[in-house]
């Protein structure tokens, strides 16, 4: 990695030990329910498999507490709720079922997901009798040992209040910005995506110190009264949330601030996901974006993606491409050492001075994947040092004056080898 950071590293937040209770105002701890020694229900195979898959998505691959790898199954009068909770995040979904005996059971989440995904095309019969869990589907039968349900931590309950966002736009925004979040746990605060609620909009912000991605979407405060709030959500969890609610008409977002455990909840229809927020002060990266850029180039998005992928084939890992913009177009150059070099020229319309910058190819491709338009604009900012180019501002290029772009991506160039 280059040392050309977009900002000074923030202080790492102080981790806290997770207690087993919720936060007042957003959560209320569930009252303990009577443990059912007998549970029996029948459910559609596809519905059951999808529900189990959803519940286990956020479970950790490894945990020091095996019970946190379980899925809690609660059968009611005519429905079954499947839940997973590891103190940091939770997932819950409710499906319709023909319930013979209501009750609760706890089984291994990964094993149940593997079984559910391979069941034949037939109704699923699930039952618990004494110390055994039985799953029957067509000619297939599985017998599992249940986990001690009485030792499972109390699940948080969602409060009704929360703001609303369109599900498709939320999923799209998450996909655009989450790639820019840091994967380095040394600085936990930038491994998350900052959600910033304004009066009528929700901003998603992510950075890894070398780039910043921002996307704005509409926000309806609804009955929550939330017109200004921030929440730092782990990028890994938010990525799964985007996939989960991509087809939901609206998603309700509730934020609990204050206290030892600050939480956020996303819910739509029969699904809900909660996440513990990352503690710490997010760097003020929004101020890095320029108000205007006088020098810029407009290119075909697909042509640029294809050229970057071809020319970067000869590069060694972590190496950058050289981009030379002139009135004649753009020339990409890669030096992979003595054995391999590559270059390619493509059309570009340049406004302003000729510019040469060196960019990480994957970082640029991540930006272009979020542009969602036929043409892309690369804006070139300046610094006081003529030998050090400023960050490149990447936005969609659309016809007409449509105002500020809802998606903006700021990429710090590498220092050119001279």
């Amino acid at each position: 990695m280059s040392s050309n950071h977009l900002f000074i590293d923030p202080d790492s937040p102080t981790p806290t030990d997770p207690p087993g209770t919720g936060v007042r105002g957003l959560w209320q701890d569930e009252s303990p329910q009577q443990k059912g020694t007998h549970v029996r229900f029948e459910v559609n195979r596809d519905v059951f498999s999808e529900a189990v898959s959803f519940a286990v998505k956020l479970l950790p691959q490894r945990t020091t507490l095996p019970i946190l790898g379980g899925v809690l199954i609660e059968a009611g009068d005519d429905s079954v709720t499947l839940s997973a909770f590891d103190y940091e995040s939770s997932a819950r979904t409710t499906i319709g079922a023909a319930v013979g005996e209501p009750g609760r059971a706890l089984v291994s989440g990964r094993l149940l997901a593997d079984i559910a995904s391979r069941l034949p095309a037939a109704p699923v019969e699930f039952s618990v009798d004494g110390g055994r869990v039985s799953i029957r589907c067509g000619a297939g039968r599985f017998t599992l040992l249940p986990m001690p349900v009485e030792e499972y931590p109390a699940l948080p309950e969602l409060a009704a209040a929360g703001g609303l966002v369109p599900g498709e736009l939320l999923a799209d925004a998450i996909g655009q910005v989450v790639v820019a979040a840091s994967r380095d746990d040394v600085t936990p605060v930038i491994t998350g995506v900052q959600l910033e609620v304004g009066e009528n909009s929700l901003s998603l912000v992510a950075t890894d110190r070398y780039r910043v991605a921002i996307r704005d979407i509409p926000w309806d405060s609804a009955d929550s009264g939330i017109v200004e709030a921030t929440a730092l959500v782990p990028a890994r969890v938010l990525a799964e949330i985007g996939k989960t609610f991509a087809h939901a008409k609206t998603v309700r977002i509730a934020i609990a601030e204050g206290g030892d455990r600050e939480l956020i909840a996303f819910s739509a229809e029969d699904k809900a996901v909660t996440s513990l927020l990352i503690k710490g002060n997010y760097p003020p990266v929004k101020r890095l974006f320029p108000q205007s850029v006088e020098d810029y180039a407009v290119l075909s998005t697909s042509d640029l993606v294809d050229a970057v992928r071809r020319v970067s084939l000869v590069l060694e890992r972590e190496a950058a491409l050289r981009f030379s913009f002139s009135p004649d177009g753009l020339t990409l150059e890669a030096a992979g050492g003595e054995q391999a070099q590559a270059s390619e020229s493509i059309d570009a319309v340049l406004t302003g001075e000729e510019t040469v910058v060196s960019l990480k190819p994957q970082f640029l491709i991540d930006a272009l994947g979020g542009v969602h338009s036929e043409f892309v604009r690369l804006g070139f900012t300046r610094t006081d040092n003529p030998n050090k180019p400023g960050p490149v501002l990447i936005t969609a290029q659309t016809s007409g004056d449509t105002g500020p772009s809802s998606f903006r991506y700021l990429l710090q160039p590498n220092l050119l080898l001279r």
Side-chain angles (χ1 to χ4, degrees):
M1 282 288 187
S2 165
S3 60
N4 305 319
H5 297 175
L6 284 172
F7 58 85
I8 298 174
D9 290 352
D11 293 331
S12 298
T14 302
T16 57
D17 295 327
T21 59
V23 173
R24 296 184 182 274
L26 177 59
W27 312 108
Q28 297 82 36
D29 293 338
E30 278 190 342
S31 57
Q33 299 183 29
Q34 184 68 31
K35 176 190 173 184
T37 56
H38 297 274
V39 181
R40 181 165 53 87
F41 61 85
E42 183 175 302
V43 66
N44 176 277
R45 187 277 307 264
D46 293 337
V47 172
F48 182 69
S49 177
E50 195 276 335
V52 175
S53 175
F54 163 74
V56 304
K57 277 183 180 179
L58 295 176
L59 286 178
Q61 293 292 335
R62 296 180 180 85
T63 176
T64 56
L65 297 175
I67 200 167
L68 297 182
V71 167
L72 181 64
I73 299 173
E74 301 172 282
D77 293 334
D78 56 3
S79 65
V80 173
T81 298
L82 295 90
S83 309
F85 182 41
D86 68 353
Y87 287 117
E88 293 187 359
S89 60
S90 74
R92 180 182 303 180
T93 184
T94 300
I95 56 177
V99 178
E101 292 185 69
R104 308 170 79 212
L106 185 67
V107 296
S108 169
R110 300 294 177 191
L111 180 56
L112 184 62
D114 288 342
I115 292 172
S117 65
R118 291 170 174 81
L119 292 174
V124 178
E125 299 176 20
F126 184 100
S127 63
V128 180
D129 189 358
R132 296 285 177 178
V133 174
S134 175
I135 301 173
R136 296 189 182 191
C137 185
R141 177 176 179 177
F142 297 86
T143 302
L144 312 176
L145 285 175
M147 304 171 78
V149 68
E150 66 275 7
E151 296 180 12
Y152 200 67
L155 288 162
E157 281 293 321
L158 279 70
L164 303 175
V165 296
E168 185 176 355
L169 287 183
L170 176 64
D172 188 43
I174 291 172
Q176 288 174 307
V177 305
V178 76
V179 294
S182 175
R183 294 169 178 81
D184 186 358
D185 292 334
V186 174
T187 313
V189 74
I190 57 173
T191 62
V193 175
Q194 175 93 331
L195 273 58
E196 301 178 0
V197 176
E199 186 174 355
N200 298 307
S201 68
L202 171 65
S203 292
L204 292 84
V205 187
T207 185
D208 60 4
R209 297 177 298 165
Y210 306 96
R211 50 184 171 165
V212 183
I214 295 179
R215 171 69 193 273
D216 300 321
I217 60 175
W219 166 268
D220 179 1
S221 61
D223 54 356
S224 68
I226 301 175
V227 294
E228 186 174 339
T230 60
L232 186 52
V233 186
R236 179 187 68 86
V237 176
L238 198 63
E240 291 297 340
I241 288 169
K243 298 173 186 176
T244 297
F245 298 114
H247 302 293
K249 183 177 180 180
T250 57
V251 178
R252 184 176 293 272
I253 302 177
I255 303 171
E257 296 180 297
D260 292 332
R261 285 175 62 79
E262 298 183 338
L263 299 168
I264 188 168
F266 300 81
S267 59
E269 300 171 349
D270 57 1
K271 291 184 174 66
V273 175
T274 73
S275 175
L276 186 67
L277 300 181
I278 299 173
K279 285 196 172 184
N281 296 321
Y282 202 71
V285 292
K286 277 190 170 182
R287 67 185 184 187
L288 298 173
F289 285 81
Q291 294 295 320
S292 62
V293 179
E294 296 181 358
D295 301 330
Y296 60 88
V298 176
L299 307 90
S300 163
T301 306
S302 60
D303 287 352
L304 182 55
V305 169
D306 292 343
V308 169
R309 286 177 172 162
R310 280 192 293 266
V311 178
S312 63
L313 290 174
V314 303
L315 287 177
E316 297 179 355
R317 187 179 179 182
E318 299 299 326
L321 284 179
R322 184 186 180 101
F323 296 79
S324 301
F325 295 87
S326 72
D328 296 327
L330 165 64
T331 299
L332 299 83
E333 299 172 276
E338 296 181 357
Q339 302 299 322
Q341 293 84 34
S343 66
E344 183 172 343
S345 296
I346 61 174
D347 292 336
V349 178
L350 178 65
T351 299
E353 299 180 5
E354 296 187 11
T355 300
V356 179
V357 292
S358 182
L359 304 173
K360 291 287 184 65
Q362 188 56 55
F363 286 3
L364 179 57
I365 288 175
D366 288 342
L368 298 176
V371 166
H372 300 340
S373 67
E374 183 179 359
F375 295 97
V376 61
R377 176 185 291 210
L378 275 62
F380 310 111
T381 64
R382 304 298 177 188
T383 66
D384 295 335
N385 184 349
N387 294 319
K388 184 179 180 180
V392 176
L393 177 61
I394 302 167
T395 57
Q397 173 67 33
T398 55
S399 59
D401 184 9
T402 57
S405 175
S406 63
F407 172 66
R408 293 166 288 159
Y409 188 105
L410 201 62
L411 177 56
Q412 177 66 32
N414 291 61
L415 290 179
L416 293 168
L417 298 177
R418 297 183 181 276

